[in-house]
Amino acid sequence: MAGQESSRQNAGHAGALTEAQAERMLARMNEVIRAGDEMRKLRTEMIKLFAGFGWTQEKIARLTEMSQPAVSKQMTKHRTDDPLPPMELALDQDDAPWLEGRLWGLAEEISETFHDATSCTGYVHALTRGKKRFTPQSVDELRRLVEEDLRLHRKHLDAGFRAAYDEISRRLDVPGKASTASTAPASVRRTLAHQLQRDRLRDNS
């Protein structure tokens, strides 16, 4: 009897957590883990990019908040890789990752201008934390949210915001050929375009 009771209890415990429950419980953890891995990969690619600019290990270590031996290890590891072509840093480029990065930067600047009280804020935070990824569907959704914010806040935004959106949107609808610099990883291109777009908006405001 005692053995049967123990078996029933064990069976009850085993069935107390369903696969669906476990999936929901671990979903957020898995997102954080994936985002961490992706950020580490992106940082590695950025180190390669900075090295291509001729920056010293000391400068790269300071910017990445890594130790100099860790930076040296990364650079040594990739020394035999094919070097990236010189990166073109002009904002006017047509490949999809570059345009996606510009859209992301525009959305983030709108969000911060209104202290996160915008339609696109949640999406911007999700992209930044790695909870959303750049897909045709996510880009379309972000475009819709940005357009909504531009309409709602048009009286309080510099005309450069609308002009930037119109240009980005038009090019996303009819993408051009990728530049030679687009052989760099898409994540690097997005990150650079994101920052350059924000800098441009701030310079023009």
Side-chain angles (χ1 to χ4, degrees):
M1 289 293 292
Q4 290 177 352
E5 182 65 24
S6 176
S7 296
R8 282 196 298 270
Q9 288 177 350
N10 289 338
H13 286 307
L17 187 67
T18 68
E19 184 176 338
Q21 289 171 320
E23 184 177 3
R24 289 194 297 271
M25 184 175 63
L26 292 169
R28 181 168 297 182
M29 289 183 237
N30 289 336
E31 285 179 353
V32 172
I33 291 167
R34 278 197 301 271
D37 287 342
E38 289 169 5
M39 287 300 104
R40 282 190 288 272
K41 290 176 183 176
L42 175 57
R43 186 174 64 178
T44 296
E45 293 295 342
M46 296 303 290
I47 289 172
K48 290 168 62 177
L49 176 69
F50 298 152
F53 290 154
W55 292 359
T56 65
Q57 291 183 18
E58 182 181 4
K59 178 186 285 190
I60 295 172
R62 177 172 52 82
L63 291 171
T64 58
E65 297 184 353
M66 296 172 64
S67 68
Q68 196 163 335
V71 171
S72 178
K73 182 179 178 180
Q74 289 283 358
M75 294 175 71
T76 300
K77 180 179 177 182
H78 296 287
R79 192 163 289 161
T80 58
D81 292 353
D82 292 333
L84 295 176
M87 287 289 292
E88 183 182 351
L89 296 182
L91 199 58
D92 184 16
Q93 300 184 55
D94 281 340
D95 59 287
W98 191 264
L99 294 169
E100 291 163 0
R102 288 189 63 186
L103 179 67
W104 175 22
L106 172 62
E108 192 165 73
E109 198 67 20
I110 291 172
S111 176
E112 291 188 9
T113 297
F114 295 99
H115 308 288
D116 292 343
T118 60
S119 300
C120 67
T121 292
Y123 224 86
V124 166
H125 290 338
L127 287 170
T128 302
R129 295 168 184 167
K131 293 182 178 180
K132 291 282 187 183
R133 286 159 182 77
F134 286 92
T135 65
Q137 293 75 23
S138 68
V139 170
D140 285 345
E141 177 67 7
L142 185 57
R143 288 173 66 178
R144 184 186 67 77
L145 295 171
V146 168
E147 191 159 1
E148 181 178 343
D149 284 327
L150 289 170
R151 177 177 56 81
L152 292 174
H153 302 289
R154 61 184 180 277
K155 293 181 180 179
H156 306 286
L157 282 171
D158 184 87
F161 284 77
R162 183 77 216 191
Y165 174 77
D166 288 344
E167 180 185 359
I168 295 165
S169 188
R170 183 174 61 252
R171 292 185 175 195
L172 283 169
D173 287 337
V174 187
K177 292 183 179 180
S179 68
T180 56
S182 66
T183 54
S187 58
V188 172
R189 305 253 328 132
R190 287 193 196 98
T191 300
L192 287 171
H194 165 268
Q195 187 59 53
L196 291 174
Q197 181 63 71
R198 296 198 67 179
D199 290 345
R200 174 68 61 85
L201 291 168
R202 292 177 179 185
D203 289 345
N204 291 342
S205 61

